[in-house]
Amino acid sequence: MQLPYCEPYKIKMTEAIRTSTREERERWIREAHYNLFKLRADQVMIDLLTDSGTESMSDRQWGAMMTADESYAGAASYYRLKAVIEKIFGMPYFLPTHQGRAAENVIFSTLLKEGDIVPGNSHFDTTKGHIEFRRAVAIDCTIDAAADTQRELPFKGEMDLEKLEAVLKKYPKEKIPCVVLTITNNTAGGQPVSMRNIKGTAELCRRYGIPLLIDSARFAQNAYFIKTREEGYADKTIKEIVREIYSYADIMTMSAKKDGIVNMGGILGMRSEELFRKASQFNIMFEGYVTYGGMTGRDMEALAIGLDENTEFEQLDARIRQVKLLGDLLDEYGIPYQRPAGGHAIFLDAKKILPNLPKEQFIAQTLGIELYLEAGIRGVEIGSILADRDPVTHENRYPKLELLRLTIPSRIYTDNHIRVIAAACRNVFERRESITSGYRITFEHPILRHFTVELEKI
């Protein structure tokens, strides 16, 4: 008999979670103005809001934190992390930041000016926010197939090279400070990008003299999919694949709170010493001195270990198997989601689940609230609220996809939790005809409104 699969780790510590009644949840979500971000953590039973800083660190990481150097300048912990980044990514220069959006703040402060054009494959919320805050324009060049949630493609988050070249031809080089390639493509449903597409994007950038910036929050998951789905990579290690990916990049930003498996931290890496010097002044202004930035020595030690551990196949495989398990159960129940299952999350297709709800009533947010009311499960809307308003017309933007992201943090929940999530989704799906109205906005900020938006039920 072939032995069944088991996780490549043991559980050393547990944390109690609280169940609640529907009446309690109805009161709590009303008091939170129907914004899932505004719920208290102890009002949530299974928290799938994000994997950002919420994943379980290893014993090696906790142990390394005890030997950290907290020196203000020249800390040994910085140089240990620097050596790991150079080894894994091949980036000779790096600045530590407190998280990914801080790395974006530093690099876009260095590169962008008003009126600039930044093409990419579905810029994520903070990326687009930083671009538009500087009165620059983010242009989406994702392949059209990403908008068809039921179409199965191995690499569904890719850059459309024809769309990208059209942008590079249309605008002068001086107006395009960089091209952003996000791996995996979060906004399109955690979908990966092939090595062929990464290489093709880099070749276009070099032909037009534009730097390629890789948004790297889930780089290791992307490498996993290259290994398991792309011809010629099955026998390569995750580290070998990662090194090749970044051989095509000029700049990298990373929220290390995802694939770095740490509670706080970010990376800005680059090949150019001149760019490093320019970016350093902004890092000092916004984050801290160049050898600690926004991170403590403890953070840097944990990240150095996390990057090493999470670029091993077994660790990635355990997490992605859980995401696939949720997808398989949803298939069994006939619930539509962005196919195939992503690397870090399942993205429910809210438009297909609630087809009669008008887009003006925020379909994915409505679905997220219903799932919370059903079982105390918190997801996050990737739809019209997150899309913000057009910065010129101030009209709501309605993206092609209205998704509810259910993020599975690494080494946090068991397969039984996954089955509870699937059952709750099934219950909401079975009563979908009774969900006849959504929500309207009563308060919002002009940028990144989804974090603090307030709503009322229609």
Side-chain angles (χ1 to χ4, degrees), residues 90-321:
M91 289 286 172
Y93 302 101
F94 111 93
L95 292 167
T97 63
H98 76 276
Q99 58 183 26
R101 71 193 63 179
E104 292 171 339
N105 188 32
V106 171
I107 193 61
F108 290 148
S109 295
T110 308
L111 294 179
L112 264 62
K113 60 184 183 300
E114 184 174 344
D116 279 349
I117 305 296
V118 185
N121 62 331
S122 304
H123 311 72
F124 199 55
D125 56 357
T126 59
T127 315
K128 183 182 284 186
H130 278 298
I131 292 168
E132 293 182 346
F133 177 73
R134 291 165 174 82
R135 300 185 184 279
V137 179
I139 297 181
D140 185 6
C141 298
T142 310
I143 59 172
D144 291 337
D148 182 354
T149 61
Q150 301 311 291
R151 185 172 176 184
E152 292 269 0
L153 286 176
F155 296 100
K156 206 173 179 180
E158 294 192 323
M159 186 85 75
D160 186 315
L161 298 183
E162 290 184 4
K163 289 182 185 178
L164 176 60
E165 187 161 22
V167 174
L168 299 182
K169 283 181 177 178
K170 181 177 180 179
Y171 299 97
K173 171 184 171 181
E174 295 72 26
K175 295 281 287 183
I176 307 176
C178 64
V179 170
V180 176
L181 183 66
T182 305
I183 59 171
T184 58
N185 187 330
N186 193 5
T187 307
Q191 297 297 315
V193 179
S194 69
M195 189 72 80
R196 174 193 53 78
N197 191 250
I198 294 169
K199 186 176 180 180
T201 303
E203 288 172 350
L204 265 182
C205 288
R206 286 171 188 171
R207 190 187 314 161
Y208 286 86
I210 308 295
L212 175 60
L213 186 158
I214 294 185
D215 180 342
S216 311
R218 298 178 178 90
F219 76 97
Q221 296 168 40
N222 202 95
Y224 173 95
F225 287 123
I226 289 174
K227 178 178 175 65
T228 56
R229 296 180 182 176
E230 189 165 358
E231 186 178 353
Y233 288 91
D235 295 330
K236 291 186 179 294
T237 67
I238 297 296
K239 285 184 170 64
E240 288 171 338
I241 294 169
V242 169
R243 189 62 183 254
E244 182 180 347
I245 289 172
Y246 286 90
S247 70
Y248 303 122
D250 302 292
I251 307 165
M252 64 175 291
T253 56
M254 183 196 295
S255 172
K257 298 163 66 178
K258 283 84 169 176
D259 274 0
I261 317 290
V262 289
N263 301 131
M264 187 59 69
I267 292 170
L268 172 58
M270 61 212 83
R271 297 194 178 281
S272 165
E273 183 178 5
E274 179 184 1
L275 181 60
F276 171 76
R277 290 180 180 275
K278 289 179 179 178
S280 293
Q281 64 177 332
F282 292 104
N283 208 66
I284 292 169
M285 287 169 58
F286 300 144
E287 293 291 296
Y289 185 60
V290 292
T291 59
Y292 77 89
M295 298 177 71
T296 65
R298 296 185 292 278
D299 293 328
M300 289 188 280
E301 293 287 357
L303 178 53
I305 299 294
L307 289 172
D308 177 57
E309 289 184 340
N310 206 41
T311 46
E312 294 296 332
F313 181 82
E314 291 76 13
Q315 295 298 322
L316 290 163
D317 189 49
R319 193 264 187 90
I320 292 172
R321 277 175 180 266

